Amino acid sequence: MKHPNPTSADERAKRMLDPGFGKVFTDHMVTIRWSEGQGWHDAQIGPRQPFQIDPAASVLHYAQEIFEGMKAYRSGNAVTLFRPLENSARFARSAERLAMPVLPDDLFIAAVEALVRTDVDWIPEQEGATLYLRPFMFANESFLGVRAATEYMFCVIASPAGAYFKGGAKPVKLWVSDDYTRAAPGGTGAAKCGGNYAASLVAQQQAVAKGCDQVVFLDAAEHRWVEELGGMNMFFVFDDNTLRTPPLGTILPGITRESILTLAAEQGLKVEQAPYDIDSWKADAASGRLKEAFACGTAAVVAAVGEIRWNGGEQLVGGGVEGPVTTALRDELTGIQRGSRDDRHNWRHTIAL
Ligand code: PLP
Ligand code: COI
């Protein structure tokens, strides 16, 4: 059902002028329910509106919730998604880890496509801006016993978005947390569940207090190996033309990460998924062996890292400026996403309007 009273074109244009990240929302949302016995049912597209949620809904107590982040791009008359089946597959893996029902790929894709089609006027035109899409699912059975719920709500909302970081393309500063870790072996680090982010917020507050943009989380066992940031994966560029990123396991398997591994190999870099310890990062940044570092993710795209700070020290990375490998990889990735570069891997998914 279309919104009976949608945002006017003037008001929409005003809100989309400088949307920031995650603050402006479109008029519609998709919902699909799941319950034991009935399975997936009651798929709807309708006005974006608050949920009525029982105070005993299990998500409010035990945090059974997962989500995805993806973007819709406008290129000429076409509207595209980037590797949406990868998001669907990861959503399914997150669901399995959180003991939630798996939404079939065709329903996931149809839900996202339907929302983009309905709210197509909300896809920003300006350079660097996109329509950010947030599929998510939560347990909404009213029950306080601790077990997997028997009722769930899947939903997709959309948000016109500009740069994730307030500084735009300025290299970001990272705070190395030695108090907090994000994930442990056997935990939920590889799942995109709300609880991972809840647990990261106190470290993020410390980072902001130290003048930084994001937290670098180290591994839980040794507090030594670089894992990832609160909401992005990490890459390192060395003076011998090597590009290194931490291996999978306790980190989120980023779709941007995987795409960059492919593109970097095509650009002639020696690509490795290998552990990197924080003391080497500090020393290599100081010696110049580490030429560049960057963070990547759907929301942040590719963000150069200009500095790391920790309890008792700080160190510029790459002289504090963005390096050429970071720029080349971002240009290639965003070029493919926006349709100005050859889509050799069939990563673009066109939505029929
Ligand atoms: N790591 C974390 C913790 C994230 O939240 C994200 C963002 O989704 C990523 C990495 C990057 O993943 P992707 O490239 O699939 O957006
Ligand atoms: C994304 O990149 O889509 C995320 O979910 C990460 C978060 C920083 C917004």
Side-chain angles (χ1 to χ4, degrees):
M1 190 189 73
K2 282 262 185 164
H3 201 297
N5 184 21
T7 310
S8 70
D10 276 1
E11 177 60 25
R12 188 173 63 230
K14 208 158 46 171
R15 288 191 210 162
M16 285 168 64
L17 207 56
D18 182 19
F21 182 85
K23 294 187 292 195
V24 177
F25 298 96
T26 65
D27 284 330
H28 295 89
M29 66 186 203
V30 171
T31 52
I32 314 178
R33 291 171 180 277
W34 187 93
S35 59
E36 219 169 67
Q38 260 187 298
W40 293 104
H41 64 281
D42 199 16
Q44 294 192 16
I45 183 152
R48 180 181 177 280
Q49 60 186 3
F51 291 116
Q52 274 219 332
I53 186 159
D54 190 278
S58 32
V59 66
L60 299 180
H61 303 270
Y62 310 126
Q64 219 189 345
E65 190 270 355
I66 59 172
F67 67 97
E68 272 302 321
M70 48 208 296
K71 284 174 169 174
Y73 306 85
R74 197 192 281 284
S75 39
N77 287 332
V79 170
T80 62
L81 303 171
F82 184 70
R83 309 187 73 181
L85 269 172
E86 298 296 322
N87 293 95
S88 181
R90 187 170 64 190
F91 196 66
R93 292 196 303 272
S94 299
E96 279 165 356
R97 179 62 184 83
L98 275 282
M100 299 168 93
V102 168
L103 183 73
D105 286 335
D106 55 345
L107 270 182
F108 181 96
I109 301 287
V112 169
E113 285 194 346
L115 184 63
V116 173
R117 226 178 268 123
T118 307
D119 282 334
V120 70
D121 292 338
W122 289 88
I123 306 179
E125 307 268 358
Q126 68 266 38
E127 165 111 27
T130 52
L131 186 64
Y132 183 78
L133 301 160
R134 176 53 65 88
F136 62 103
M137 173 171 34
F138 61 89
N140 68 343
E141 181 188 357
S142 306
F143 178 62
L144 295 183
V146 182
R147 57 143 170 78
T150 58
E151 287 172 42
Y152 296 88
M153 173 74 84
F154 170 78
C155 179
V156 193
I157 54 174
S159 170
Y164 186 76
F165 291 111
K166 282 202 192 71
K170 220 175 66 201
V172 295
K173 294 189 178 80
L174 304 181
W175 172 251
V176 182
S177 179
D178 51 19
D179 305 344
Y180 300 107
T181 54
R182 181 185 169 276
T188 55
K192 205 160 167 59
C193 59
N196 287 345
Y197 298 79
S200 77
L201 298 178
V202 64
Q204 177 67 19
Q205 282 181 330
Q206 289 184 336
V208 171
K210 300 288 183 182
C212 294
D213 302 284
Q214 277 272 304
V215 182
V216 181
F217 286 105
L218 304 177
D219 76 292
E222 296 181 64
H223 280 230
R224 176 173 172 218
W225 305 104
V226 176
E227 296 228 307
E228 62 180 322
L229 309 187
M232 286 139 232
N233 292 117
M234 272 306 305
F235 277 89
F236 303 93
V237 183
F238 296 96
D239 60 0
D240 64 353
N241 205 33
T242 301
L243 181 76
R244 183 185 296 191
T245 194
L248 297 181
T250 49
I251 64 171
L252 192 78
I255 295 156
T256 318
R257 173 187 179 279
E258 209 271 328
S259 306
I260 282 177
L261 285 170
T262 302
L263 298 177
E266 289 172 354
Q267 291 188 357
L269 291 154
K270 279 181 281 174
V271 169
E272 55 186 34
Q273 301 182 55
Y276 192 43
D277 71 278
I278 187 64
D279 288 340
S280 298
W281 185 353
K282 293 171 188 172
D284 293 344
S287 74
R289 187 174 110 75
L290 178 69
K291 301 296 257 187
E292 305 177 32
F294 63 86
C296 71
T298 299
V301 195
V302 170
V305 173
E307 189 176 330
I308 48 173
R309 294 182 180 174
W310 60 91
N311 253 328
E314 56 188 51
Q315 171 64 51
L316 284 185
V317 178
V321 296
E322 178 167 319
V325 173
T326 303
T327 308
L329 286 168
R330 184 200 299 111
D331 287 351
E332 181 71 2
L333 177 72
T334 56
I336 295 170
Q337 288 170 334
R338 290 176 177 279
S340 62
R341 298 226 178 158
D342 185 23
D343 181 21
R344 300 178 295 284
H345 304 284
N346 268 323
W347 285 342
R348 275 153 52 86
H349 172 102
T350 302
I351 298 181
L353 295 177

